[in-house]
Amino acid sequence: MPGPLLGKVAFVTGAGSGIGRAICRVMSRDGAHIVAADKNLASAQETIATLGSEALALEVDVSSTDSVAKALSATLDKYKRPPGVIVNSAGIVRDNYFLKMPEKDFDAVYKVNLKGTFLVMQYFAKSLVEYKKTGTIINLSSIIAKINNVGQANYTASKSGVISLTKVAAKEFGKFNIRVNAVLPGFIDTPMVAGIPDKAKEAALASCPLNRLGKPEEIAEVIAFLASDKASYINGATIEVTGGL
């Protein structure tokens, strides 16, 4: 049987590792042509080297208007149409207690996690409208947006903002037949989570009914479903994938 994403072009940010890399692999398996975007070009190239379908690796700083515009142009040059699937997976952490957090760390997280998501959504959705193409956008928020971890004021605020962007865009883009949804991962076994102190990870596992970290592929499968026609009436949703956290 043909894959549920056969022939679709999927643009994935943060594609060089973790959840982003898993998304590229699962969508490639399902038939999509992958545009793997990451600030680290070598990591994006490593991702596409593992795929079984046509792919393009791009160096992209999602917090830069110029970089996002160039990424869109490169995608259009290769595929002659905008990607019908856009996944905002790029994200960073700069954890610290509220009273000790440097302004530069707040700004860095905001620029990548929230502004970066906004810029990619705006540029790529506008292109879909101009080309009169339908599409779907999936944004990576986090369960932290709901449970509000100590030491993550910047990350929590940015990921809460992603939920709001998702819901506003779902209402505005619906008339163009562009669906927008958000996925809220729990604690997933990624390089980002590997940097969390052991005590914090132990506390997270203790509060998770499944008593384990999630796998990047478990997030990727949900995102691939949302990108497919099987999810054709899901719009403006926030889907938790947390093991019950």
Side-chain angles (χ1 to χ4, degrees):
M1 290 180 62
L5 301 178
L6 185 65
K8 292 181 182 290
V9 176
F11 180 87
V12 182
T13 70
S17 65
I19 293 172
R21 177 170 286 180
I23 293 166
C24 291
R25 288 175 173 169
V26 169
M27 288 192 172
S28 175
R29 178 205 68 194
D30 286 354
H33 304 303
I34 303 298
V35 181
D38 200 280
K39 195 170 184 180
N40 185 328
L41 179 59
S43 295
Q45 291 170 331
E46 289 172 7
T47 294
I48 68 169
T50 68
L51 305 182
S53 63
E54 185 181 1
L56 172 67
L58 295 176
E59 181 178 354
V60 181
D61 176 0
V62 296
S63 69
S64 162
T65 300
D66 184 60
S67 185
V68 171
K70 287 179 177 177
L72 174 59
S73 179
T75 304
L76 291 172
D77 285 345
K78 182 171 179 63
Y79 294 105
K80 312 306 178 189
R81 66 187 191 276
V85 179
I86 299 106
V87 184
N88 283 297
S89 181
I92 63 170
V93 293
R94 296 286 188 274
D95 295 347
N96 210 329
Y97 289 114
F98 206 112
L99 300 182
K100 295 181 178 180
M101 184 174 293
E103 182 180 356
K104 64 180 178 63
D105 286 353
F106 186 93
D107 288 347
V109 170
Y110 157 81
K111 286 179 180 178
V112 174
N113 297 3
L114 186 58
K115 181 185 176 184
T117 298
F118 165 77
L119 288 175
V120 172
M121 290 173 68
Q122 185 182 61
Y123 272 79
F124 282 74
K126 189 178 294 185
S127 183
L128 284 168
V129 173
E130 289 172 353
Y131 276 73
K132 294 181 169 57
K133 299 291 187 181
T134 63
T136 180
I137 300 171
I138 302 105
N139 298 321
L140 270 290
S141 178
S142 171
I143 194 60
I144 300 303
K146 292 192 173 183
I147 64 177
N148 303 305
N149 265 5
V150 169
Q152 291 193 303
N154 50 1
Y155 187 76
T156 297
S158 71
K159 290 301 188 179
S160 296
V162 168
I163 294 174
S164 294
L165 285 182
T166 298
K167 291 186 175 293
V168 171
K171 292 180 178 181
E172 293 190 11
F173 298 172
K175 63 186 176 184
F176 303 114
N177 203 15
I178 299 171
R179 298 184 294 107
V180 190
N181 294 291
V183 172
L184 281 60
F187 286 90
I188 310 301
D189 189 9
T190 65
M192 184 183 291
V193 170
I196 295 175
D198 288 341
K199 285 187 177 179
K201 280 191 280 192
E202 290 169 5
L205 288 175
S207 62
C208 177
L210 293 186
N211 196 36
R212 66 173 177 84
L213 294 176
K215 300 173 184 177
E217 293 76 15
E218 291 175 308
I219 306 300
E221 292 288 359
V222 175
I223 290 170
F225 165 72
L226 288 173
S228 76
D229 293 339
K230 296 178 182 179
S232 58
Y233 203 57
I234 300 177
N235 188 39
T238 54
I239 299 177
E240 299 178 14
V241 189
T242 68
L245 187 67

